[in-house]
Every structure is written in C-alpha cells, then in structure tokens.
Amino acid sequence: MVRESIKFKHFKKYCKSLNKVAKNKVVQNLINILLLVWSYLPLFALTDELDFSNASLEHKNKWKLRFSCLNIYFGEYLIQLLTFCISEKKLNLYKITKLSNFPNFDMSETKTLDLKKQFFEHMDNLSENELLIEKEALLRQLSDEDERMNLAFNKINMYTTIILGGVPILLTILSEKISLFIQNVFLKLLPQSIVFLLLIYFTGNLIIIILQFITIRGIRKSKFSELKNSDNKEETLNWQIYYDWQIKKRKVNLFISLLKIFQNWFVISLILFLIWLLIA
C-alpha cells in the first residue's frame, strides 16, 4: 500500500508537470501568433530582421528587433519607413529587405571559394572508394532537394488554384455587398474600413507572392568546362555535385520560406474575410 501511494504521488507530480508544460506551450503559441500578426501589420509593426520580420519566442536569444512606423510588404520585399532597430538603438528613415538576399538563400563568391577550399581539403584525406561513396551520397542529397522542390511547387499550385479561382467567384457573388459596403460604410465606420483595407492588402500580397514564386529564377550550376580542364576529374566531379547540391538546397529553402509566408498570409486573409462578412 505504501509503495502504491508513493507511486500515486509521483504520478500526480508528473501530471502536474505535464499540465504546466502544456500551459506554457499554449501561452507560447499564443504569444507567437500575436508576434506573427504584429510583424505583418502595415503600421507600428515589431519585426525581427534575422527571420524576415517574424519574431518568435523560439529565437528570442537571437532577436534583432525593429520597430517601424510604416511596414509594407510587397511579396518577398519588405519596405520599412521611420524604423528603429532596438538592439542597435539606431533610427533609419527607411529600410528595404529582400528575402532572397538572405545568406541562407544565396551563396556569394566568397562563400563558394571557402566551401571549395574546405571540400578539396576534405577529399585529400579520402580514398578512391570513399570518394565514390560520398559521390553517391551527394547525388542522393541532390535528388532529395528535387523532391522538396516538387512538393513546394505542388503546394503553391494548389494555393494558386484556390486564390485565382476562388477570388473572382467570391467577387462575383459578393459584388452587391461590396458595392453597398463601399457606398454606405467604407471610410465612415473606422473598424469596418480598417478590416476591409487590411483584407485588400493581405489578399494583394498573396497574389504578388504567387507571381514571384512562379517567376523563373536562374539557378547557378557547375560548369562542364571546369571538369573538362581538371587534372583530377574525380575530385572535381564530386565538388561540382556538392556545389550544385548547396545551390539547389538554398533555392529550395527560399521557395519553402516563401510558401510558409504565403500560408501565414492566407490564414490571416481568411480570418479577415470572415470578420468582414460578420461586421459589414
């Protein structure tokens, strides 16, 4: 009986600790949602420079927060006016950020040369058999990135169908309601007008992101001439596969980041649309 009571006490403590963790996670998720919405607001927004605007508690130790009076998104572009970097305590009249220019998504010439040097130094310590093994592994990684890219494109195609197919239908169905709203309510009742303007802003950005996503972007690739003129073709081939993988991985990460941003905007637009239907 004593053992059972001790076990029961431990079980109760365990349950309490789980409840605390669950509550903390709920609170953290709510705060993250608030930070997400705040970072997307066009006025008086709080953003994180290191994560393309979206501040999150998960990265609070790496925050580089910025408060902006005007915070306008244009797809992968972010234009901030009268913006103050909190960590650096520096005020800027304006700041323009482009997602694809982030180091995670682009590989500079300096970075390429550093990687090349490190990779060739690594290959100098490998046997021929090990070089072949790594070559196969790199080819598999390259193939995996192709699959990730296809998944990203499939998802954006799905959203594109929903947006480009659904928006015209909704505009047709709600044309009379929208017309009456603009005539009788717009700019007369502030809350309804704000929701309507935000809905236009977020929906417009959805379309812009789709257009930017499907725009053909050049992907740098290794050159055959480098392999042709190489004295050590085996190592050069491995380097070229490694280089192509690094480039493609960054490009796929960019597409996935754009997709995540799109999903956030899509959810917010949907919520704003439902709110507008209720209050208009």
Side-chain angles (χ1 to χ4, degrees):
M1 290 292 291
V2 175
R3 285 183 180 179
E4 288 181 0
S5 62
I6 292 172
K7 286 181 180 179
F8 182 70
K9 285 181 180 179
H10 283 302
F11 178 72
K12 283 182 70 177
K13 286 182 180 179
Y14 178 71
C15 289
K16 285 182 180 179
S17 62
L18 281 179
N19 286 332
K20 285 182 180 179
V21 171
K23 286 179 181 178
N24 288 336
K25 283 187 176 180
V26 170
V27 172
Q28 286 181 5
N29 288 335
L30 287 173
I31 293 173
N32 282 334
I33 290 170
L34 289 173
L35 288 171
L36 174 69
V37 174
W38 194 1
S39 68
Y40 287 157
L41 291 178
L43 295 174
F44 309 116
L46 182 70
T47 58
D48 181 14
E49 288 189 10
L50 301 181
D51 197 19
F52 194 64
S53 84
N54 180 21
S56 171
L57 290 178
E58 295 171 3
H59 308 132
K60 63 182 179 180
N61 295 327
K62 299 179 181 178
W63 271 352
K64 191 176 181 183
L65 298 178
R66 179 177 288 276
F67 182 80
S68 305
C69 293
L70 193 63
N71 189 68
I72 302 298
Y73 285 87
F74 194 78
E76 69 161 330
Y77 292 90
L78 174 59
I79 303 167
Q80 296 169 307
L81 301 178
L82 285 177
T83 176
F84 180 74
C85 183
I86 297 172
S87 59
E88 296 179 358
K89 297 181 180 179
K90 183 179 179 182
L91 178 67
N92 301 102
L93 290 177
Y94 72 93
K95 188 175 189 301
I96 300 174
T97 307
K98 186 181 179 184
L99 180 63
S100 56
N101 287 342
F102 274 57
N104 296 342
F105 309 128
D106 191 25
M107 195 157 75
S108 64
E109 291 296 326
T110 304
K111 178 69 174 176
T112 301
L113 291 174
D114 287 341
L115 280 177
K116 186 174 184 178
K117 180 182 177 182
Q118 293 170 14
F119 194 71
F120 271 94
E121 287 175 354
H122 163 71
M123 286 191 293
D124 287 340
N125 300 318
L126 300 180
S127 64
E128 287 189 12
N129 188 46
E130 287 172 330
L131 283 171
L132 285 172
I133 292 171
E134 288 204 355
K135 176 185 171 183
E136 292 299 322
L138 288 170
L139 287 171
R140 188 176 66 251
Q141 295 284 359
L142 200 57
S143 176
D144 290 343
E145 295 305 328
D146 286 332
E147 290 183 11
R148 289 178 68 214
M149 183 175 283
N150 289 334
L151 284 172
F153 271 102
N154 288 338
K155 283 190 176 182
I156 201 66
N157 286 337
M158 178 189 71
Y159 282 116
T160 302
T161 303
I162 294 171
I163 296 296
L164 299 184
V167 170
I169 293 172
L170 285 174
L171 288 175
T172 303
I173 295 172
L174 300 172
S175 59
E176 187 175 346
K177 184 179 179 69
I178 294 171
S179 179
L180 289 172
F181 176 82
I182 292 173
Q183 291 175 14
N184 302 324
V185 179
F186 186 56
L187 298 180
K188 295 177 182 176
L189 296 176
L190 189 60
Q192 289 90 331
S193 299
I194 290 173
V195 171
F196 186 69
L197 288 172
L198 285 174
L199 180 58
I200 294 173
Y201 171 66
F202 277 87
T203 306
N205 260 286
L206 286 176
I207 296 171
I208 292 168
I209 291 174
I210 288 173
L211 293 175
Q212 290 176 343
F213 193 96
I214 62 179
T215 300
I216 298 174
R217 298 168 183 257
I219 298 179
R220 297 198 309 271
K221 289 187 176 182
S222 55
K223 297 178 181 179
F224 177 73
S225 58
E226 183 183 359
L227 178 64
K228 182 181 177 182
N229 299 324
S230 172
D231 294 328
N232 191 337
K233 296 186 186 300
E234 194 170 22
E235 288 190 2
T236 302
L237 180 60
N238 274 26
W239 155 248
Q240 288 187 331
I241 297 171
Y242 177 76
Y243 173 79
D244 290 343
W245 168 53
Q246 288 290 325
I247 292 293
K248 181 160 285 189
K249 182 175 70 171
R250 283 166 169 75
K251 192 63 66 176
V252 172
N253 287 340
L254 172 62
F255 288 157
I256 290 173
S257 295
L258 270 174
L259 181 60
K260 287 179 179 178
I261 293 169
F262 182 91
Q263 288 172 332
N264 291 336
W265 285 78
F266 183 82
V267 171
I268 294 172
S269 299
L270 187 60
I271 293 170
L272 285 171
F273 176 69
L274 294 174
I275 292 172
W276 180 79
L277 283 179
L278 291 172
I279 66 176

